[in-house]
Amino acid sequence: MKGFVFHGPGQSAWQDVPDPAVKEPTDAIVRVDAVTICGTDLHILKGDVTEVRPGTVLGHEAVGEIVEVGGDVRTVRPGDRVLVSCITACGRCRFCRESAYGQCRGGGGWILGHLIDGTQAEYVRVPYADLSVHALPTAVESKDAVLLADIFPTSYEVGVLNGHVRPGDTVAVVGAGPIGLAAITTARLFAPERIIAVDLAASRLEAARRLGADAVADAREDPEQLIADLTDGLGADVVIEAVGVPESFELCTRMVRPGGHVANIGVHGKPATLHLEDLWIKNVTITTGLVDTHSTPTLLRMAAAGRLPTAQLVTHSFPLDRMEEAYDVFARAADTGALKVVLGEQPHEEIAIPAAR
């Protein structure tokens, strides 16, 4: 089969790779019908995630059809259409018993496209299939469902829930890429008073407005002052970091009010300064996290009911064999206007988002 293989920082290729096979009785083999690219994949290609070995097939999000299962798999069978979660769960270790699947110590956690071959291929082996794939309702199209493999549960759990968004809050989301936009849409479920999006790209700020941001700010034009003006100088109740660079994290800690929450989602490849000389007195809560995907069943029900605007985040579609082109478009989002790219689905109408000037 073909797969997208990491060969070291800055080196990758869509190439022939061995077909996956059932290795354990809890495995399933899934034919990939739709897959997407994550910002974390770009971090891997830059060399920020050093655990990924050269020769690994990338990708941790997919929708597809079960073609084979091991003898111990009970919840799915060949022919079932499923969502492949970005997180694999053994279901037996201490963390899995606490629904903290991202920290699984039984051979799970984030392993697809990280420690084992991932989903950016024609087929993928999914360990612990009973807890790591989700049967899909027919009402949810593949191009929409694939966004529930990672970005929506990540934004919802690590951003909105960890940040304790409440009715009437002022929420600032720093970074209006796919994760930040999903954080905006899921924060709205809690009826905050206002949501402010901060980014460098005009196209992404426009997308943030369409998806529910009440105000937007160019990161180069003193967003701290905008937050102060909107909150009578208090600061935001919740600030969600969705970029993963030191400057954005430090900006978040300056915008949060005393007693507020900073929820870090971004994948950081460099150290960020924690200014405790300013923060120690402010009663600020800072959280980090890898998604657990415990919310995926809930989000799937909401998507089936039309309560999540997943389709609005998909801006580009490609066949699987144009994986390298899709990566280029996604990596140059400031020029291309890309939010999420979906591969493998039939082409559909794209949303016209003007590129930043």
Side-chain angles (χ1 to χ4, degrees):
M1 69 170 187
K2 296 284 189 179
F4 187 70
V5 180
F6 171 72
H7 289 293
Q11 302 176 61
S12 57
W14 176 254
Q15 64 182 69
D16 289 326
V17 293
D19 294 340
V22 169
K23 295 181 179 179
E24 301 291 340
T26 52
D27 288 351
I29 306 299
V30 178
R31 186 196 71 217
V32 174
D33 294 332
V35 69
T36 186
I37 301 170
C38 180
T40 304
D41 296 321
L42 299 183
H43 281 280
I44 292 171
L45 290 179
K46 290 177 183 177
D48 290 343
V49 187
T50 56
E51 301 89 359
V52 182
R53 299 188 306 270
T56 301
V57 175
L58 296 186
H60 50 267
E61 308 156 89
V63 168
E65 181 180 313
I66 300 285
V67 296
E68 185 179 358
V69 295
D72 289 349
V73 176
R74 296 289 180 266
T75 61
V76 291
R77 59 186 180 182
D80 286 350
R81 179 170 167 263
V82 296
L83 170 70
V84 178
S85 176
C86 67
I87 297 296
T88 304
C90 79
R92 297 189 298 269
C93 71
R94 170 180 174 174
F95 290 112
C96 284
R97 287 177 179 271
E98 296 172 352
S99 297
Y101 306 124
Q103 304 302 323
C104 174
R105 290 297 182 268
W110 173 35
I111 58 173
L112 291 172
H114 180 207
L115 305 180
I116 67 173
D117 285 338
T119 59
Q120 290 170 5
E122 293 174 306
Y123 294 85
V124 60
R125 179 179 74 92
V126 183
Y128 299 117
D130 280 335
L131 283 173
S132 306
V133 302
H134 301 267
L136 282 176
T138 56
V140 182
E141 295 185 37
S142 295
K143 65 180 174 61
D144 300 329
V146 74
L147 302 191
L148 302 180
D150 185 355
I151 69 162
F152 269 89
T154 294
S155 299
Y156 181 58
E157 295 174 19
V158 185
V160 175
L161 296 185
N162 278 4
H164 292 272
V165 175
R166 297 176 299 182
D169 276 354
T170 292
V171 179
V173 178
V174 178
I179 288 286
L181 295 173
I184 290 169
T185 63
T186 52
R188 284 173 55 83
L189 300 172
F190 292 84
E193 179 182 1
R194 62 175 70 88
I195 300 174
I196 301 101
V198 180
D199 202 282
L200 293 169
S203 60
R204 292 192 166 191
L205 293 176
E206 177 58 31
R209 282 192 183 277
R210 287 200 307 274
L211 288 165
D214 301 287
V216 299
D218 189 310
R220 295 161 293 204
E221 296 178 2
D222 198 8
E224 297 170 64
Q225 187 60 52
L226 173 63
I227 299 293
D229 291 343
L230 291 173
T231 60
D232 294 326
L234 291 179
D237 300 285
V238 181
V239 186
I240 296 174
E241 200 284 339
V243 181
V245 298
E247 295 80 5
S248 62
F249 175 78
E250 293 169 32
L251 173 64
C252 290
T253 63
R254 295 195 300 270
M255 294 196 302
V256 67
R257 69 164 173 84
H261 289 76
V262 175
N264 182 88
I265 305 177
V267 178
H268 289 264
K270 297 179 181 179
T273 301
L274 181 62
H275 287 283
L276 286 177
E277 73 278 10
D278 299 321
L279 295 170
W280 74 270
I281 201 171
K282 294 180 66 175
N283 295 16
V284 171
T285 299
I286 299 174
T287 57
T288 65
L290 175 66
V291 65
D292 293 313
T293 64
H294 61 74
S295 68
T296 302
T298 299
L299 294 171
L300 275 172
R301 291 195 301 272
M302 295 181 67
R307 300 295 299 275
L308 290 179
T310 51
Q312 295 185 48
L313 273 70
V314 179
T315 55
H316 296 74
S317 294
F318 299 89
L320 273 177
D321 60 5
R322 290 170 60 189
M323 185 72 68
E324 293 175 348
E325 180 183 352
Y327 259 91
D328 178 64
V329 168
F330 185 61
R332 295 188 300 107
D335 299 321
T336 63
L339 296 177
K340 288 298 282 185
V341 301
V342 172
L343 297 101
E345 276 283 285
Q346 291 298 315
H348 62 285
E349 184 177 351
E350 297 179 359
I351 299 171
I353 297 179
R357 292 184 175 86

